[in-house]
Amino acid sequence: MVKSEVKFEEKIGILGGTFDPPHKGHLKISKLAKKKFHLNKVFWAITKKNPFKNKSYFNLNKRIKLSKILTKKEKYIKIGFFEKKINSNKTIKLIKHFKNKSKKNEIYFLLGADNLITFHKWNNWKNIPKICKIVVFDRSSFKAKAKKSLAYKSFKNKGLIYVDFKKVNISSSKIRNF
């Protein structure tokens, strides 16, 4: 559980995923989002299991622990497992949870370009940009596919922000396969 949740009228970033394992790319996205969008907090919403993958390499508690170690100097980053609290693993429910804390909160849902490619398969995907801004961070070799994706074409002028930045050539799968 996250000790410090949301206050009224905050700009909040949500970076969801399995963080299997967490790495400096997740940290760099969080730092850039905080700076670029003047976020008060960035929540790493760690999911028990990615619905598009068979299993996680590390168990949930290990991923939470590693995330806390990686972010210990970044006081604005809050690590949490919200699925029990919101009784769902759906992104739309997670975003609504944060939005319900205060209708005045500005929510920025942060994701890598690789996730935008399959975004149209997510539950209630078309409603997500109605309640938050979607911020997509460029990732090596995914830019072309991401910009051709159904989600990009649907949202590019309706709440989706594509961020080009100096890429971190790392991924959780590369770390696991090392």
Side-chain angles (χ1 to χ4, degrees), residues 121-134:
K121 295 180 180 180
W122 295 19
N123 183 267
N124 277 323
W125 69 280
K126 287 184 178 180
N127 291 321
I128 293 173
K130 293 176 184 175
I131 54 176
C132 70
K133 290 177 177 48
I134 299 173

Side-chain angles (χ1 to χ4, degrees), residues 124-156:
N124 277 323
W125 69 280
K126 287 184 178 180
N127 291 321
I128 293 173
K130 293 176 184 175
I131 54 176
C132 70
K133 290 177 177 48
I134 299 173
V135 182
V136 180
F137 290 86
D138 199 11
R139 273 193 71 183
S140 303
S141 73
F142 290 102
K143 185 174 192 169
K145 279 187 178 178
K147 289 199 169 184
K148 289 179 183 172
S149 72
L150 182 58
Y152 182 82
K153 290 175 183 175
S154 298
F155 304 148
K156 70 178 176 182

Side-chain angles (χ1 to χ4, degrees), residues 11 28-40 42 76 106 108 110 133-138 161-165:
K11 292 177 95 175
K28 188 168 182 177
I29 284 171
S30 300
K31 286 180 177 183
L32 180 60
K34 180 185 186 326
K35 183 178 178 181
K36 186 172 183 70
F37 302 106
H38 309 285
L39 303 179
N40 299 95
V42 175
Y76 64 93
E106 270 188 75
Y108 294 75
L110 316 174
K133 290 177 177 48
I134 299 173
V135 182
V136 180
F137 290 86
D138 199 11
I161 303 163
Y162 198 95
V163 179
D164 290 307
F165 76 113

